Amino acid sequence: MKMTFRWYGDNDPVTLEKISQIPMMTGIVSAVYDKAPGQVWSCESIEAIKKKAEAHGLEFEVVESVPVHEEIKLGGPKAKEYIENYCENVRRLGKAGVKCICYNFMPVFDWLRSELEHQHPDGCNSLAYDEQTVLSMDPLTSELSLPGWDESYSKDELKSLILRYKEIGEEQLWENLSVFLKAVIPVAEEAGIRMAIHPDDPPWGIFGLPRIITNTTNLRRFLKIVDSPANGLTFCTGSLGASTDNDLVKMAAEFAPRIAFLHLRNIKITGYRQFMEVGHPTECGSLDMKGIVRALLDNGFDGYVRPDHGRMIWGEKGRYGYGLFDRALGAAYITGLFEGLEK
Ligand code: DNO
């Protein structure tokens, strides 16, 4: 396994120097942020990230994310063009030495929470989700915005997008995913890249939009669409673990060889479709972190790992979920878990 850390580029208050000082850190997880989703990334921008990372003794082998344009997910008239752009990005990243690309196939919204600063008794705060709160907001009428919403859409664009998805439903989304994979995976194979789809977070449909990367049955179906090591998974414990129907230890064991990227974080389930993010160790939440890592190691996992969302502790303010302190503690904990279980 290789321990990595997400870096949001030059504007990220968590600098490369700080990242490089975390024990056992091998590289960063980053992306080109100067282009809109669907566009081809310039080789200069890709190389610039690599150079900056290397200047701090860090590798740049993982990209999160190359976003999938909504037209691709919708199978719209411009899907073909955007898929070609996507393939070009895969080629360019491969040439720059990238080995793994994380992406998702969630309609309209990426990860979604109802609260950004859920207060804990010890004075820290974290992201939290409560289905009742989410359901009480209708994105078509509400003026509110939830974390995970793409703020680049106007209200009207958002509305027409949501209506288009309502027409296509789950099966058509699978079909569109299949068209995408059949075009992109052969290019990834050639480029020496493992594609790693991120599960839907939370792993169930919201606002009547279809979500399909959610559970064991669907992950099996996904992996069969193109049965290649290059068609892999991001195993995000906090995303899949939000559904109590998902047995993460079993899933880790079954999918280990196809997991290219591992996002480790713990959540505490506080009710039906209600959870908050907590510190990484097993005892802090509802997920068996040690059991998950053991299942992965016993079944041939060999991929990249990063600590996922941290709480805001020690008075830190920053990008929600992506402060330095708690993610660094998470990295140290995860390194210890692997060390203990591998030896
Ligand atoms: C949230 C992240 C996701 C992830 C994308 C991958 O913190 O895990 O936003 O990067 O879903 O495409």
Side-chain angles (χ1 to χ4, degrees), residues 2-7 26-33 41 49 59-66 93 96-103 193-194 196 234 260-263 303-306:
K2 273 187 172 182
M3 178 64 74
T4 59
F5 210 77
R6 196 165 192 183
W7 182 63
T26 68
I28 54 158
V29 174
S30 197
V32 168
Y33 295 108
W41 292 356
I49 302 174
E59 295 168 336
F60 175 42
E61 295 189 342
V62 186
V63 167
E64 180 176 351
S65 312
V66 180
L93 290 167
V98 167
K99 305 267 181 269
C100 175
I101 295 177
C102 173
Y103 67 103
I193 285 182
R194 291 181 85 188
T234 296
F261 193 18
L262 179 58
H263 286 185
Y304 297 90
V305 181
R306 74 167 176 82

Side-chain angles (χ1 to χ4, degrees), residues 69-90:
H69 197 279
E70 297 297 331
E71 282 298 309
I72 299 178
K73 292 182 249 175
L74 282 160
K78 291 183 109 186
K80 217 171 160 208
E81 188 183 315
Y82 284 118
I83 289 178
E84 189 34 58
N85 286 356
Y86 203 99
C87 290
E88 183 55 22
N89 280 330
V90 173

Side-chain angles (χ1 to χ4, degrees), residues 166-318:
K166 287 201 171 163
E167 273 166 32
I168 73 165
E170 261 187 37
E171 276 312 308
Q172 188 59 44
L173 189 62
W174 276 109
E175 181 51 35
N176 300 341
L177 174 56
S178 162
V179 169
F180 172 77
L181 292 174
K182 285 178 181 159
V184 172
I185 299 302
V187 177
E189 282 170 346
E190 231 168 80
I193 285 182
R194 291 181 85 188
M195 298 296 298
I197 198 166
H198 190 285
D200 302 345
D201 180 5
W204 51 76
I206 35 159
F207 306 129
L209 293 167
R211 284 194 156 196
I212 54 180
I213 307 300
T214 51
N215 57 34
T216 300
T217 310
N218 289 8
L219 290 183
R220 283 184 192 145
R221 177 172 176 180
F222 168 83
L223 293 173
K224 275 200 204 115
I225 296 174
V226 181
D227 195 5
S228 155
N231 183 30
L233 304 174
T234 296
F235 194 75
C236 176
T237 56
S239 302
L240 291 166
S243 166
T244 46
D245 295 337
N246 285 335
D247 180 333
L248 292 201
V249 176
K250 269 200 191 143
M251 291 170 88
E254 174 171 347
F255 298 119
R258 294 290 285 275
I259 296 172
F261 193 18
L262 179 58
H263 286 185
L264 283 177
R265 69 180 159 89
N266 203 349
I267 54 170
K268 192 177 188 111
I269 296 179
T270 45
Y272 176 69
R273 294 193 168 176
Q274 188 189 61
F275 61 87
M276 60 182 177
E277 300 189 354
V278 292
H280 289 73
T282 303
E283 297 289 315
C284 297
S286 305
L287 307 182
D288 179 2
M289 306 302 278
K290 180 176 166 192
I292 292 165
V293 171
R294 183 163 32 211
L296 288 165
L297 288 172
D298 286 350
N299 290 281
F301 165 75
D302 180 25
Y304 297 90
V305 181
R306 74 167 176 82
D308 205 0
H309 304 174
R311 304 158 300 150
M312 285 299 169
I313 61 173
W314 303 334
E316 185 176 19
K317 300 241 179 291

Side-chain angles (χ1 to χ4, degrees), residues 147-166:
W149 288 30
D150 184 339
E151 301 287 347
S152 60
Y153 296 122
S154 69
K155 275 273 163 229
D156 284 348
E157 283 168 337
L158 194 63
K159 194 170 187 169
S160 81
L161 260 182
I162 292 179
L163 293 175
R164 282 175 77 192
Y165 275 109
K166 287 201 171 163

